[in-house]
Amino acid sequence: MVRETKTTPATMNGGDGEYSYNRNSSTQRVAIDLVKELITEGIATNLDLLQLGSPSSPEIFRIADLGCSVGPNTFISVQEIIDSVKLKYPQEDIEFQVFFSDQFSNDFNTLFKNLPSDKQYFAVGVPGSFYDRLFPKSSLHFIHCSYSLHWLSNAPKELANHESPAYNRGRVYYATAPTEVVQAYSTQYAKDFTSFLNARAQELVHGGLMALVIPGVPDGIPHSQCNFVALHALLEACLIDMHHQGSISEAKIDSFNLPIHNPTEAELKGLIENNNNDCFSIEKMESVIYNEEVLDVTEQMATSHVRAVWEGVISDHFGNDIVDELFDRYAKKFTEAFLIPESTSYKRMVLIFVLLKRNL
């Protein structure tokens, strides 16, 4: 038996309030800073305007940022890409067009309200899931996607199936789950990531580049020991505590699973290399370790960041009434797990940077 639940695409908190993504995305900003040189180097080494699907250099260079949310990080990313292209081709008279893309429910009003006044590009909004086609064939020259490809299109359906070996009863995540649950997440990730690659292969011009920045798990480290997984395991623990105390029903717990998966570098490499279309070559793949100071945060900062990401998904399934209590609990558990030195054995988070080139 499968418990039927409404699936809502994950959307970060909009607006500019206390728990908005706009004000609580500094961790994602650090990710952008950590891979900045890799993107600049990748463009300098691998971009050839004469190869981009036409007999001459393009007069309009089209960039898509997938999973753009509401800013400000997306503006920083696209400007760095533009600066890198200009640095390599200072004599070319190129105009830039940037497509900001995210779910239909994304707060595009806040996004465009905050567009830089000195922007050097024409801005376009493109709503929709990046697991489907979003653009015409061979229309993009550079695709950027940061801190988004750990989101699944849906949590695996078998997790809510009473008759499945992967039935995730009493849990909402895979940090402490049996192997069958972990495998269900991995299988769903492989399906989604393959759909992503197939869609982008049609949209990117031959010779075009795609930069992916994905929060992952270090190779050889159990996922349960990774900081990123541990942060979400705390959210699971809070929900389960509230169920045991009567605030949340058993049915609500058993029909909800967090729709995220953090891959390893080896997992990603295998999915790219085994793609049947053989459309992309891996120009660069590297795991970047977060600096220690990134983890030196207060419980309030960490809780606000997690709330900015998860509040919409949580309130849609469990209702608005539990939100404040849930994140109050989260702040306390975060202190116990991360801010007491002798209590933590979690490993650092990694960012998996991948630069792909559309094969000619």
Side-chain angles (χ1 to χ4, degrees):
M1 176 182 177
V2 179
R3 295 182 182 273
E4 294 296 332
T5 59
K6 181 175 69 175
T7 300
T8 300
T11 304
M12 309 301 101
N13 278 354
D16 194 39
E18 180 180 2
Y19 302 116
S20 66
Y21 188 81
N22 195 38
R23 293 173 59 179
N24 293 283
S25 55
S26 58
T27 298
Q28 293 85 338
R29 167 64 190 275
V30 170
I32 292 170
D33 291 340
L34 288 175
V35 302
K36 176 181 178 180
E37 291 185 6
L38 292 175
I39 290 179
T40 299
E41 177 187 327
I43 290 174
T45 304
N46 298 285
L47 182 65
D48 186 344
L49 292 183
L50 294 179
Q51 287 186 349
L52 298 185
S54 64
S56 60
S57 299
E59 295 180 354
I60 301 175
F61 192 92
R62 297 182 176 90
I63 301 166
D65 188 42
L66 307 183
C68 64
S69 193
V70 297
N73 296 329
T74 185
F75 307 132
I76 298 169
S77 295
V78 299
Q79 189 58 52
E80 289 176 352
I81 294 167
I82 290 171
D83 290 343
S84 297
V85 174
K86 287 184 173 181
L87 182 64
K88 180 167 185 180
Y89 293 101
Q91 306 304 321
E92 296 287 345
D93 184 18
I94 304 173
E95 291 191 305
F96 293 89
Q97 187 174 31
V98 175
F99 299 91
F100 295 98
S101 181
D102 212 311
Q103 299 283 356
F104 286 96
S105 51
N106 186 58
D107 185 1
F108 284 99
N109 286 336
T110 294
L111 173 74
F112 286 112
K113 181 180 70 175
N114 292 324
L115 275 171
S117 58
D118 59 347
K119 62 182 176 63
Q120 303 170 19
Y121 50 84
F122 298 95
V124 183
V126 181
S129 169
F130 55 43
Y131 292 122
D132 299 319
R133 284 281 305 279
L134 292 166
F135 304 94
K137 290 183 178 180
S138 300
S139 61
L140 300 175
H141 302 101
F142 196 101
I143 296 173
H144 175 265
C145 185
S146 178
Y147 240 92
S148 298
L149 273 170
H150 58 300
W151 287 95
L152 301 173
S153 61
N154 291 285
K157 290 181 172 56
E158 55 265 48
L159 301 183
N161 184 349
H162 291 193
E163 300 175 356
S164 170
Y167 179 42
N168 203 23
R169 182 177 182 180
R171 291 177 298 267
V172 302
Y173 194 41
Y174 64 85
T176 60
T179 302
E180 292 83 357
V181 173
V182 178
Q183 184 57 50
Y185 269 97
S186 182
T187 299
Q188 182 66 48
Y189 189 82
K191 177 182 177 181
D192 285 342
F193 190 73
T194 299
S195 295
F196 177 88
L197 289 179
N198 291 341
R200 305 294 83 77
Q202 296 184 65
E203 298 164 349
L204 199 61
V205 302
H206 290 176
L209 299 177
M210 179 160 63
L212 311 177
V213 183
I214 306 170
V217 176
D219 287 318
I221 299 296
H223 59 264
S224 59
Q225 293 182 20
C226 175
N227 270 309
F228 195 90
V229 175
L231 288 170
H232 292 94
L234 292 183
L235 193 61
E236 176 188 70
C238 293
L239 288 167
I240 292 172
D241 284 351
M242 294 176 70
H243 159 56
H244 289 158
Q245 294 182 10
S247 302
I248 299 175
S249 71
E250 181 180 13
K252 283 291 187 181
I253 290 289
D254 291 344
S255 59
F256 178 77
N257 289 279
L258 299 178
I260 55 171
H261 172 74
N262 297 99
T264 64
E265 183 176 327
E267 184 178 2
L268 272 178
K269 185 176 182 181
L271 291 173
I272 296 169
E273 291 181 342
N274 292 332
N275 187 266
N276 291 331
N277 291 330
D278 194 29
C279 292
F280 294 103
S281 60
I282 300 175
E283 302 300 322
K284 181 82 172 182
M285 178 174 273
E286 181 176 326
S287 289
V288 181
I289 305 295
Y290 266 94
N291 295 325
E292 283 289 353
E293 57 266 24
V294 177
L295 303 179
D296 185 20
V297 298
T298 67
E299 68 275 8
Q300 185 56 51
M301 176 182 173
T303 304
S304 295
H305 276 60
V306 173
R307 183 166 179 167
V309 171
W310 284 106
E311 182 171 2
V313 175
I314 294 293
S315 61
D316 183 78
H317 184 83
F318 295 100
N320 294 324
D321 294 344
I322 75 160
V323 171
D324 287 338
E325 180 185 351
L326 172 65
F327 288 105
D328 285 345
R329 289 175 177 269
Y330 188 92
K332 295 175 182 177
K333 285 188 180 293
F334 181 86
T335 300
E336 296 168 359
F338 285 93
L339 299 185
I340 301 174
E342 61 270 20
S343 70
T344 182
S345 60
Y346 299 125
K347 308 300 181 184
R348 291 179 176 184
M349 293 183 281
V350 299
L351 296 170
I352 305 173
F353 174 81
V354 188
L355 184 70
L356 301 177
K357 189 169 187 175
R358 181 66 168 89
N359 290 333
L360 298 175

